Amino acid sequence: MSNKKQLQVSAIESGTVIDHIPAASLFDVITILGLDRIPNQITFGANLDSKKYGKKAIIKVADKFFEPDEINKISLVAPNAHLNIIKDYEVVEKKHVTIPDEIVGIVKCFNPKCICNHESVQTRFRVMDKEELALECHYCEKITTRDELRMV
Ligand code: CTP
Ligand code: ZN
C-alpha cells in the first residue's frame, strides 16, 4: 500500500468513534452498548496495532451519539477508551469514559451463592476502587475484581 496514512477502518460522516478499546474487550463493548441490536451502520477493527496498548480495537457507530450514562458502562472493560464525536467528517469533540460509582446490570457477582446468580434480580455493585476495580455486591457484599469480571 503506497499511502501509509490510510485509515484501517474507513472514516465516517457522522457518529461516534470509540478508539483504544483493549483488543480482548471488543465483543464485551458491543454487548454492553447493545450494538448487536441497533440498525445503525457499524464498522470495527479488531487486533489493530497500537503504540500505547499493544493490540487495540476500534468501533465506529454511524449516526449515534451516546448519553454519558450509556457510554460510561464500557469503562469496566475499556477504561482508556477515547470517544470521538464526528460531524460532517470532522472530529468535533473528544471525550474519555469514566467509571461510575454504581454498576447496575452489566456484570455478574463472582460469588456463586449470591442471590443475584439464582433469582432474576438485576446485579448491583458499589465501585470501591476505580483504579484496580473492586466492585462490592449490593446483595452479598462480596468483592468482584477485574480478573473475575463476567458479563451478565
Ligand atoms: N475518524 C473517523 N471519521 C472521521 C474522522 C475521524 O472515523 N470522519 C476517526 C479516526 O480514524 C480516528 C478517530 O476518529 O480513529 C480520531 O480522529 P483524529 O482525532 O483525527 O485522530 P488522531 O489525531 O489519531 O486522534 P487520537 O490520537 O485521539 O486517536
Ligand atoms: Zn453478590
Side-chain angles (χ1 to χ4, degrees):
M1 238 180 280
S2 57
N3 183 0
K4 287 189 179 154
K5 292 201 101 183
Q6 197 164 20
L7 292 181
Q8 288 174 292
V9 182
S10 295
I12 58 173
E13 182 180 353
S14 160
T16 303
V17 173
I18 311 167
D19 198 357
H20 297 293
I21 300 166
S25 299
L26 171 62
F27 291 98
D28 283 340
V29 171
I30 290 173
T31 306
I32 289 169
L33 294 178
L35 300 181
D36 47 347
R37 295 192 301 270
I38 60 171
N40 305 52
Q41 247 186 43
I42 299 168
T43 46
F44 64 80
N47 297 321
L48 306 179
D49 287 318
S50 155
K51 286 198 187 92
K52 263 194 206 160
Y53 302 104
K55 293 283 179 188
K56 70 165 188 178
I58 189 167
I59 304 175
K60 303 189 179 189
V61 189
D63 303 317
K64 176 94 181 154
F65 304 96
F66 297 91
E67 294 297 332
D69 280 359
E70 198 180 2
I71 200 75
N72 282 338
K73 292 177 181 175
I74 74 168
S75 61
L76 289 178
V77 296
N80 299 308
H82 291 187
L83 307 172
N84 300 276
I85 313 303
I86 314 292
K87 292 193 175 150
D88 286 330
Y89 285 105
E90 299 289 331
V91 179
V92 295
E93 199 182 348
K94 283 180 178 278
K95 295 193 253 188
H96 287 96
V97 295
T98 53
I99 298 180
D101 296 327
E102 200 185 38
I103 310 282
V104 179
I106 303 170
V107 291
K108 285 185 180 169
C109 175
F110 90 104
N111 172 13
K113 292 184 181 154
C114 182
I115 184 171
C116 70
N117 285 314
H118 297 281
E119 314 252 324
S120 61
V121 288
Q122 264 203 325
T123 63
R124 179 182 289 267
F125 302 89
R126 188 168 68 86
V127 180
M128 302 182 70
D129 186 335
K130 295 191 181 186
E131 294 291 307
E132 297 298 319
L133 206 65
L135 309 178
E136 183 193 53
C137 178
H138 171 77
Y139 299 101
C140 71
E141 298 182 351
K142 294 255 186 309
I143 311 294
T144 298
T145 61
R146 190 181 297 285
D147 293 342
E148 297 153 344
L149 272 196
R150 300 283 176 275
M151 301 298 119
V152 291

XYZ file of all heavy atoms in Angstrom, residues 108-111 113-117 124-125 136-142 144, ligand 2:
162
model
N -21.627 -9.886 36.388
C -22.111 -10.866 37.362
C -21.323 -10.754 38.657
O -20.147 -10.400 38.645
C -21.881 -12.280 36.820
C -22.838 -12.690 35.743
C -22.592 -14.141 35.375
C -23.549 -14.573 34.295
N -23.202 -15.871 33.717
N -21.971 -11.113 39.762
C -21.270 -11.251 41.032
C -20.481 -12.561 40.960
O -20.994 -13.581 40.496
C -22.272 -11.289 42.171
S -21.510 -11.593 43.767
N -19.209 -12.534 41.406
C -18.364 -13.742 41.265
C -18.767 -14.833 42.253
O -18.382 -15.986 42.110
C -16.883 -13.378 41.433
C -16.409 -13.468 42.847
C -15.624 -14.531 43.260
C -16.781 -12.507 43.770
C -15.213 -14.634 44.583
C -16.365 -12.591 45.078
C -15.583 -13.662 45.489
N -19.568 -14.441 43.277
C -19.953 -15.385 44.322
C -21.072 -16.313 43.819
O -22.198 -15.867 43.605
C -20.425 -14.579 45.540
C -21.036 -15.436 46.625
O -20.898 -16.656 46.602
N -21.709 -14.790 47.568
N -22.872 -18.331 45.244
C -24.016 -18.469 46.149
C -24.870 -17.208 46.216
O -25.907 -17.191 46.868
C -23.523 -18.800 47.564
C -22.916 -20.185 47.649
C -22.541 -20.507 49.079
C -21.909 -21.881 49.174
N -21.012 -21.974 50.330
N -24.416 -16.131 45.569
C -25.141 -14.855 45.656
C -26.553 -15.000 45.078
O -26.748 -15.651 44.053
C -24.382 -13.776 44.900
S -25.172 -12.165 45.021
N -27.494 -14.345 45.728
C -28.902 -14.409 45.293
C -29.050 -13.964 43.833
O -29.875 -14.493 43.086
C -29.800 -13.563 46.231
C -31.268 -13.724 45.832
C -29.404 -12.099 46.250
C -32.239 -13.099 46.831
N -28.192 -13.007 43.419
C -28.332 -12.465 42.052
C -27.928 -13.485 40.993
O -28.199 -13.295 39.814
C -27.549 -11.166 41.891
S -25.783 -11.382 41.897
N -27.282 -14.571 41.403
C -26.955 -15.635 40.454
C -28.038 -16.720 40.421
O -27.912 -17.694 39.687
C -25.601 -16.262 40.787
C -24.455 -15.348 40.383
O -24.443 -14.797 39.282
N -23.488 -15.155 41.275
N -26.110 -5.495 41.100
C -25.897 -4.108 41.533
C -24.622 -4.066 42.376
O -24.456 -4.871 43.294
C -27.107 -3.653 42.349
C -27.035 -2.247 42.906
C -28.283 -1.965 43.714
N -29.446 -1.833 42.850
C -29.885 -0.668 42.379
N -29.277 0.460 42.687
N -30.953 -0.620 41.612
N -23.724 -3.165 42.036
C -22.449 -3.074 42.757
C -22.117 -1.632 43.085
O -22.414 -0.724 42.303
C -21.288 -3.620 41.902
C -21.460 -5.042 41.472
C -22.127 -5.345 40.291
C -20.964 -6.078 42.236
C -22.284 -6.661 39.886
C -21.114 -7.396 41.842
C -21.782 -7.691 40.660
N -18.276 -3.954 45.004
C -18.929 -4.587 46.147
C -20.388 -4.881 45.803
O -21.155 -3.978 45.460
C -18.871 -3.661 47.373
C -19.463 -4.314 48.602
C -19.687 -3.308 49.727
O -20.345 -2.271 49.483
O -19.206 -3.550 50.836
N -20.754 -6.153 45.918
C -22.108 -6.576 45.570
C -23.115 -6.013 46.567
O -22.918 -6.102 47.780
C -22.180 -8.091 45.535
S -23.823 -8.711 45.165
N -24.185 -5.450 46.062
C -25.258 -4.893 46.884
C -25.946 -5.996 47.692
O -26.439 -5.749 48.788
C -26.268 -4.223 45.940
C -27.531 -3.775 46.582
N -27.607 -2.642 47.349
C -28.780 -4.317 46.574
C -28.852 -2.497 47.779
N -29.584 -3.497 47.322
N -25.955 -7.218 47.172
C -26.689 -8.312 47.809
C -25.838 -9.093 48.808
O -26.240 -9.299 49.940
C -27.269 -9.244 46.741
C -28.241 -8.531 45.841
C -27.860 -8.100 44.577
C -29.528 -8.228 46.284
C -28.737 -7.405 43.767
C -30.417 -7.533 45.478
C -30.013 -7.125 44.222
O -30.880 -6.421 43.431
N -24.656 -9.551 48.384
C -23.865 -10.414 49.276
C -22.645 -9.704 49.865
O -21.939 -10.277 50.687
C -23.424 -11.673 48.529
S -22.157 -11.382 47.280
N -22.385 -8.462 49.423
C -21.276 -7.642 49.919
C -19.895 -8.210 49.599
O -18.883 -7.697 50.053
C -21.426 -7.364 51.427
C -22.690 -6.569 51.719
C -22.882 -6.225 53.179
O -22.122 -6.752 54.002
O -23.795 -5.444 53.496
N -19.828 -9.258 48.791
C -18.523 -9.786 48.372
C -17.958 -8.880 47.271
O -18.699 -8.201 46.567
C -18.682 -11.209 47.846
C -19.123 -12.209 48.911
C -17.961 -13.074 49.317
C -18.292 -14.204 50.259
N -19.045 -13.855 51.446
N -16.055 -8.280 43.788
C -15.675 -8.827 42.489
C -14.568 -7.940 41.922
O -14.686 -6.713 41.927
C -16.893 -8.862 41.539
O -17.892 -9.715 42.103
C -16.522 -9.389 40.158
Zn -23.245 -10.968 45.205
